[in-house]
Amino acid sequence: MFARVLEIDRRFIAATSSSPMRFAGESAIWTGAPSEGVAMGGALWRSFASWFLLVWIALCFGACRTSKQHSAALAERGWAEYQAHRYAAAEKDLREAVRLQPNNPKYHYELALSLRDSGQIDGAIGELYRAHLLQPDDSGYVLLLSQLMVRSYDRQNIRWSEGWANQVLHKSTDPSTRAEALYLLGIGSLRLGEPNDAENYFNKALQENPDHPAALSFVALQDADRGRVDSAEQR
C-alpha cells in the first residue's frame, strides 16, 4: 500500500512541477471535465485515508492494551495493600483500576472487600452489586451482598438480604454455600423479630452443613433460652 501511495505521489509531483496550468486544465479545475489528475487525486486521498485509519486503529489498540496492563498492575498492588490491612491505599489503587477497566467484576469485588473492611458498608454494597451485574452467575457476589445487607439497621435492606439469599438457594447446589444462605435467612428472621422462622432456617443450614459453627451456636442459644439445656449442651 505504501508503494502505491509513493507512486501516486511521484506522478502528482511530476505533473504539477512540469506545467501547473496544464495540470490544472487536465484536472478540470476550470472546466469540470474528467481527467487523470482527478482520478489520481482521488486515489491519493483514498490511500491516505486508508493509511490514516490503520494508524488510528493501531494507536487505539496500543492504548487499550496499555490501559489494561496498567489497571492489572494497580489491582495487584491494591490487593496486596488490602491483605496488609492498608485499606486507604488499597481503595485508592482499586478505584483507579475500576476506572480504567469498569467492566471487570473482579476489580469491583476486591474494592468492595476493601470498603467493607474499612467500614464503608454502603460503598461496598454498591461495588458488589456492580460485580453481580457484570457476572450474575457468581453466587459469591450475591452471598456477600446478603451478608452485608442482613446486618443493616434498615429493615428494607434486611428484606433485600433475604432476596439475595434465596437467589443463592435457587442457583447453588453446593452444601456449604446453601448452608450459609440459610444461616443468613435465619439472621434476617431474628433481626425482623421472627425467632421461630430463624430456628427453622438454622436447622436447615445444619442439615446442609452439620459443622456450620454460627448456625450451631445460634441453635444452642435458642435451645438454652427455651429450657432445652441438654439439647443445647449436645450442640
Side-chain angles (χ1 to χ4, degrees):
M1 187 182 70
F2 291 109
R4 183 185 173 200
V5 171
L6 290 173
E7 174 61 20
I8 293 172
D9 188 50
R10 184 189 64 75
R11 293 173 60 195
F12 182 80
I13 293 172
T16 53
S17 61
S18 62
S19 177
M21 289 300 294
R22 176 174 172 272
F23 180 77
E26 290 179 354
S27 300
I29 293 176
W30 312 117
T31 64
S35 70
E36 182 184 358
V38 172
M40 184 167 62
L44 177 63
W45 169 249
R46 287 192 298 272
S47 296
F48 175 76
S50 299
W51 176 82
F52 180 80
L53 180 60
L54 286 173
V55 171
W56 181 79
I57 291 172
L59 289 173
C60 287
F61 178 78
C64 291
R65 185 177 180 183
T66 301
S67 175
K68 189 174 183 179
Q69 291 173 337
H70 184 46
S71 64
L74 284 167
E76 183 178 355
R77 187 173 69 185
W79 185 244
E81 296 284 6
Y82 168 76
Q83 291 179 313
H85 308 292
R86 293 189 287 267
Y87 301 126
E91 179 186 348
K92 180 181 178 182
D93 284 341
L94 290 168
R95 280 196 185 281
E96 183 63 11
V98 164
R99 186 187 71 80
L100 292 171
Q101 295 290 321
N103 293 326
N104 189 318
K106 181 173 179 284
Y107 296 168
H108 288 284
Y109 171 72
E110 291 177 350
L111 176 56
L113 293 181
S114 181
L115 293 172
R116 178 199 65 182
D117 290 358
S118 64
Q120 302 178 64
I121 303 303
D122 288 343
I125 289 173
E127 292 301 325
L128 275 172
Y129 185 65
R130 293 181 185 96
H132 164 66
L133 290 178
L134 291 167
Q135 197 169 344
D137 293 333
D138 193 312
S139 296
Y141 300 152
V142 179
L143 202 59
L144 190 52
L145 269 172
S146 182
Q147 289 172 353
L148 291 176
M149 286 185 160
V150 79
R151 291 168 175 82
S152 172
Y153 293 104
D154 187 338
R155 290 178 66 89
Q156 183 57 56
N157 277 346
I158 298 173
R159 292 294 186 192
W160 282 333
S161 170
E162 291 179 343
W164 293 120
N166 278 313
Q167 184 173 323
V168 172
L169 290 175
H170 290 152
K171 290 186 175 182
S172 178
T173 58
D174 176 64
S176 295
T177 301
R178 291 178 58 81
E180 182 64 18
L182 288 162
Y183 165 74
L184 292 172
L185 286 169
I187 293 294
S189 296
L190 278 180
R191 302 209 65 197
L192 293 171
E194 301 164 353
N196 291 331
D197 288 344
E199 183 178 12
N200 184 40
Y201 283 126
F202 291 145
N203 282 318
K204 285 183 177 180
L206 292 174
Q207 289 174 11
E208 295 284 348
N209 178 13
D211 297 323
H212 193 289
L216 279 169
S217 298
F218 272 102
V219 170
L221 287 172
Q222 287 182 313
D223 285 344
D225 188 56
R226 294 175 180 178
R228 300 195 291 259
V229 179
D230 292 341
S231 178
E233 288 178 346
Q234 288 175 3
R235 296 185 189 277

